[in-house]
Amino acid sequence: MNAVAPPPFTPARPRRWRRALLWGTLVGLLLVAQSLLLTLTVSHEAARAQEASDLAAAEVTARGKQLVSRDLQALQGLLWAQDDEWRTNAAALMRQTRVLLRIELRDRNREVIRAVDTPYAPPLFSTLSRNQLQLETELACIAALRQGTPLFSRSYFVPGSGGDGLEVTDLCLPRVRAGEPASYVVATVGLRPLLEESISQDQARRFEMSFVEGDGTRLARTGLTRGSGFYLSERLLDLPGLSLQLRVDNATGRPQLIPNLATALVIGLSLALFALVIVLARDGRKRAEAEHALAESLAFRQAMENSLITGLRARDLDGNISYVNPAFCAMVGYPAEELVGSGRPPNPPLYWPPEFTDEYWRRHRDREARWEAGLPPREGFETVFARASGERFPVMIYEAPLLNAEGQQTGWMSAVLDLSAQRKVEELSRQQQDRLQATARLATVGEMASLLSHELNQPLAAIASYATASINLMVREADDPQTPAMVRQAVTRIAEQAERAGRVIKSVHDFVRRREAAREWTAVDQLIEAVLPLVRLQARKSGARIELDVPRGLPRVRCDRTMVEQVLLNLTRNAIQAMDGPTPLADRALILRVHRLQPKWLSFAVIDHGPGIPPEVARQLFTPFFTTRTEGMGLGLSLCRTVVEQHGGAMDFESRVAPQSPTGTEFRFSLPCEDGAGSPRAAGSRNTLSGESSA
């Protein structure tokens, strides 16, 4: 038997009907989806058109009611107008509205007394008289009188002169006195004017609006276009005694199908699917870029936080530390592993000093209470932390609420600044300032050395003379009875001159050695008396005289006495030096003046009659190290202003230079004083220091 070879193996191919079924299902679903989409679109457009008609009908009826209510209120005012004012008020009302065509005043028998027609149209009853068209009016007035309220009549047609006419209705308002009708006001309202006033220009272009009766008879119409009769909306305009049916006809017709709908749908669907793929691809790429940017941002923030010298600390609402940056760890001396997770009550954070724990817990609760009450927390406060070594150091903390993405508070974020270096710099600056001030005082004393030698020569010479005289008296005859008395007088003079020399030396010694930095309440007399001996030394040498203008009863000033005395001494020395040379000897007068500037401030003034300060020098007068003297340091006036400003006062000056006459300069500064202390008794009254002191 011959063996039959099997057929070669071929891979299975998907059946054609399966592929067709899949594509057919996809196409069918797309067709169904597009058909539903088209149907929904047409339905939506139809619903929008119908909704626009309904909305326009509601707006027109609301506007119509508003116009009728406005005119009704105005007509009610005519009920009580005087006879001589009625026509004027009615004419004014007719000019304000186009809805009213005629207003009539009728007597109790409803006979027309007065009538006013609208100025915007021909008289209403020109073709037929009013008596021929008042049946509906009579019925409306009778019903209005019976119900005690204004009522509209049924609408009726008034023919015009050109063959046309107008549908109107009458509004009757009875005026009743003691239960009997006194008069009536009848207003004729045109339905077409009412419709025209109630519709906007946009509505007039899009809709045809009309008042119709129940059987469809049109009473009045308006609108620039004719309605298509497809989207209709009807609404009742309810007026007192009358209901008008408003019909709104949209000019928009039935929506039309798009030409070549299948092609448009397929192309549109294909483009939409392609656009969707592109959008998804771009979204994926943007997501990857956003993740990469977020990673870089996190790395940048981490690097920035690591490079900060400001400590950052985050805590939850319970006080538990959730984050610290390396600067904070280096500040307190604890690693982040020990800090994060600590601080939950009742266990305080590691960097809180034990002696301040209770106070810090109270402050934490106070901050939470302020936040819950809607009050802003404190922007910054100074406190004390403890390092791991036990060292206490001052810090400044700026704290703000920590909010999540939903705006809810989850804790507090704090920025902590170490103030240790700042405190050291401040202390160093204070020490340098003290040394600089001491140097300035020593320089002042150095300049006065020659004056001291001149001042001490007189008492020393007098002491020598009296000592010689005493020796000569002692060698006289013992039997001379006047010898003991003369010796005693000479010794007394020696003691006086020695005391005088001692006072001069003590004044300079006290000025140089005084170091009190605390401010105290000091009398003005004490300040002046402390510097007068040194001022007189300078004044005697230059031949200047000192005049004091210090009223009695001035309040005490709160100041650092040593520094204020130095200010007075610097200013007086500058004033005397300014007069030494160019000022004639007779005009060399130095004036020290003190007066009350305000209830809590005293003004000190040092006035000279020197040549004044030129403008180019005045601009740099208070600049440190600026001086016009070769031997000067340029620190005197700068230190003076600094001292005054440290006391809360201010320093300024006023100078008069040639050709002004007289010339001179006045330096003024202010110091705080007691409020309510004695005021000067009288102008010109002076204390024991006042008067004129000659050098």
Side-chain angles (χ1 to χ4, degrees):
M1 298 179 59
N2 295 331
V4 179
F9 172 79
T10 57
R13 301 178 61 183
R15 296 184 179 180
R16 190 178 299 273
W17 64 270
R18 289 184 177 180
R19 180 178 298 177
L21 178 61
L22 292 176
W23 282 105
T25 303
L26 178 60
V27 173
L29 291 176
L30 290 177
L31 290 176
V32 170
Q34 295 300 325
S35 300
L36 292 176
L37 179 62
L38 180 61
T39 303
L40 292 175
T41 302
V42 173
S43 301
H44 176 68
E45 293 297 328
R48 287 184 56 187
Q50 184 62 43
E51 182 181 355
S53 299
D54 296 339
L55 180 61
E59 291 178 353
V60 171
T61 53
R63 177 62 177 165
K65 289 182 180 180
Q66 182 181 2
L67 293 175
V68 171
S69 298
R70 181 197 64 187
D71 295 339
L72 179 58
Q73 291 178 1
L75 289 171
Q76 288 175 343
L78 292 178
L79 285 174
W80 306 100
Q82 301 295 331
D83 293 342
D84 53 349
E85 298 178 354
W86 188 91
R87 184 177 295 276
T88 303
N89 295 343
L93 176 59
M94 297 295 287
R95 288 192 298 271
Q96 295 175 2
T97 178
R98 295 177 179 269
V99 177
L100 300 181
L101 303 179
R102 180 183 174 91
I103 301 177
E104 299 172 347
L105 178 62
R106 300 193 176 196
D107 58 14
R108 59 185 303 171
N109 297 322
R110 294 184 290 279
E111 296 294 334
V112 178
I113 302 175
R114 295 182 181 86
V116 177
D117 289 298
T118 178
Y120 305 110
L124 186 62
F125 301 100
S126 58
T127 303
L128 294 178
S129 64
R130 179 56 169 158
N131 295 331
Q132 296 176 302
L133 297 171
Q134 62 177 355
L135 176 60
E136 301 295 341
T137 307
E138 290 285 341
L139 296 176
C141 289
I142 293 173
L145 179 62
R146 183 172 61 253
Q147 298 180 16
T149 181
L151 292 179
F152 281 89
S153 69
R154 293 183 57 187
S155 64
Y156 59 93
F157 182 77
V158 179
S161 58
D164 55 354
L166 189 64
E167 193 76 18
V168 299
T169 180
D170 291 330
L171 174 61
C172 185
L173 293 85
R175 179 184 178 190
V176 180
R177 289 184 178 177
E180 296 294 333
S183 61
Y184 297 86
V185 171
V186 177
T188 303
V189 179
L191 297 187
R192 182 173 180 181
L194 175 61
L195 196 58
E196 291 176 346
E197 289 294 318
S198 302
I199 188 173
S200 64
Q201 294 183 359
D202 180 66
Q203 291 172 341
R205 289 191 297 268
R206 297 172 55 193
F207 305 97
E208 178 188 10
M209 298 192 180
S210 57
F211 286 126
V212 297
E213 292 184 344
D215 57 357
T217 304
R218 181 179 294 171
L219 301 178
R221 71 162 297 276
T222 186
L224 303 179
T225 59
R226 290 288 182 179
S228 62
F230 188 77
Y231 299 110
L232 297 176
S233 178
E234 294 184 353
R235 188 176 291 265
L236 288 179
L237 176 60
D238 291 325
L239 301 176
L242 177 64
S243 293
L244 296 175
Q245 185 173 2
L246 174 68
R247 176 179 293 174
V248 177
D249 192 353
N250 200 326
T252 303
R254 183 189 298 272
Q256 300 295 325
L257 295 178
I258 302 175
N260 198 6
L261 178 60
T263 304
L265 290 176
V266 172
I267 294 176
L269 181 59
S270 301
L271 293 176
L273 292 175
F274 181 71
L276 180 60
V277 172
I278 294 177
V279 169
L280 291 176
R282 293 184 60 187
D283 182 74
R285 181 173 56 85
K286 289 183 178 181
R287 183 183 298 273
E289 292 177 354
E291 292 176 353
H292 180 68
L294 179 60
E296 290 186 350
S297 177
L298 291 176
F300 177 78
R301 192 194 71 173
Q302 187 69 26
M304 181 178 62
E305 292 175 356
N306 294 338
S307 65
L308 286 177
I309 61 174
T310 302
L312 298 180
R313 176 195 64 185
R315 296 189 294 175
D316 58 21
L317 295 177
D318 295 330
N320 190 35
I321 299 177
S322 58
Y323 168 78
V324 289
N325 70 335
F328 187 85
C329 297
M331 187 182 302
V332 298
Y334 292 98
E337 293 77 11
E338 297 183 15
L339 294 176
V340 175
S342 64
R344 187 184 303 274
N347 299 321
L350 300 176
Y351 49 84
W352 279 10
E355 62 271 19
F356 297 144
T357 300
D358 295 337
E359 177 185 352
Y360 289 1
W361 282 130
R362 286 195 300 270
R363 185 170 60 196
H364 180 69
R365 291 190 295 268
D366 176 66
R367 180 177 59 251
E368 292 181 348
R370 288 175 58 87
W371 177 257
E372 292 176 357
L375 300 176
R378 292 177 295 178
E379 294 183 355
F381 58 92
E382 187 173 342
T383 186
V384 177
F385 281 175
R387 305 188 198 274
S389 61
E391 176 189 358
R392 271 60 171 170
F393 64 101
V395 294
M396 176 65 72
I397 299 179
Y398 296 91
E399 205 156 47
L402 188 62
L403 306 178
N404 58 13
E406 289 75 22
Q408 298 177 350
Q409 184 186 6
T410 58
W412 301 90
M413 173 59 73
S414 306
V416 184
L417 300 177
D418 188 351
L419 302 181
S420 302
Q422 180 180 347
R423 292 292 182 268
K424 293 180 181 178
V425 171
E426 291 176 355
E427 179 64 21
L428 180 61
S429 176
R430 188 189 62 79
Q431 294 176 1
Q432 291 177 347
Q433 185 74 10
D434 292 343
R435 288 196 294 268
L436 186 60
Q437 292 170 355
T439 303
R441 288 197 297 271
L442 290 175
T444 302
V445 175
E447 294 179 5
M448 292 183 177
S450 60
L451 301 178
L452 288 175
S453 63
H454 172 73
E455 184 68 17
L456 292 177
N457 280 335
Q458 294 181 6
L460 291 177
I463 290 172
S465 298
Y466 286 125
T468 303
S470 299
I471 294 173
N472 293 333
L473 288 173
M474 286 195 234
V475 298
R476 283 188 175 188
E477 296 294 334
D479 55 356
D480 190 349
Q482 297 181 353
T483 298
M486 296 177 65
V487 170
R488 282 195 301 270
Q489 183 179 4
V491 173
T492 301
R493 294 291 185 270
I494 291 174
E496 291 177 352
Q497 295 300 323
E499 182 181 0
R500 176 185 174 187
R503 285 198 306 268
V504 173
I505 296 175
K506 185 176 183 300
S507 298
V508 177
H509 181 270
D510 291 343
F511 176 76
V512 176
R513 296 295 301 274
R514 190 174 296 151
R515 301 296 299 170
E516 297 89 357
R519 297 183 184 180
E520 57 183 353
W521 291 105
T522 307
V524 177
D525 299 350
Q526 296 177 357
L527 294 175
I528 302 299
E529 288 176 350
V531 299
L532 270 181
L534 300 178
V535 174
R536 287 194 178 103
L537 291 178
Q538 183 81 12
R540 288 193 185 98
K541 182 178 180 181
S542 63
R545 65 182 185 276
I546 302 173
E547 298 180 3
L548 300 178
D549 184 4
V550 184
R552 294 189 182 92
L554 289 175
R556 296 180 302 171
V557 294
R558 182 171 179 81
C559 64
D560 183 347
R561 180 175 175 180
T562 302
M563 301 310 302
V564 174
E565 290 175 2
Q566 181 175 349
V567 171
L568 289 171
L569 190 60
N570 284 344
L571 295 179
T572 54
R573 187 178 73 251
N574 290 345
I576 293 173
Q577 291 177 352
M579 296 185 293
D580 191 6
T583 304
L585 189 61
D587 297 337
R588 296 181 185 179
L590 173 66
I591 302 175
L592 294 178
R593 179 176 298 160
V594 184
H595 68 279
R596 186 187 287 272
L597 185 63
Q598 292 180 0
K600 294 185 179 181
W601 292 90
L602 286 185
S603 175
F604 292 75
V606 178
I607 306 171
D608 65 64
H609 293 85
I613 302 175
E616 61 274 9
V617 176
R619 288 192 294 267
Q620 308 179 63
L621 200 58
F622 293 101
T623 303
F625 304 105
F626 172 78
T627 180
T628 57
R629 303 197 305 268
T630 56
E631 71 279 4
M633 297 176 61
L635 294 174
L637 289 178
S638 176
L639 286 175
C640 289
R641 169 176 277 187
T642 301
V643 170
V644 172
E645 291 178 350
Q646 287 176 349
H647 285 75
M651 173 177 284
D652 62 347
F653 69 94
E654 181 180 354
S655 183
R656 299 180 301 277
V657 297
Q660 300 183 31
S661 181
T663 59
T665 303
E666 177 181 357
F667 279 87
R668 299 179 296 267
F669 65 92
S670 57
L671 291 177
C673 67
E674 292 177 321
D675 188 14
S679 58
R681 297 178 182 176
S685 63
R686 304 188 178 188
N687 61 12
T688 56
L689 292 177
S690 62
E692 185 173 299
S693 175
S694 299

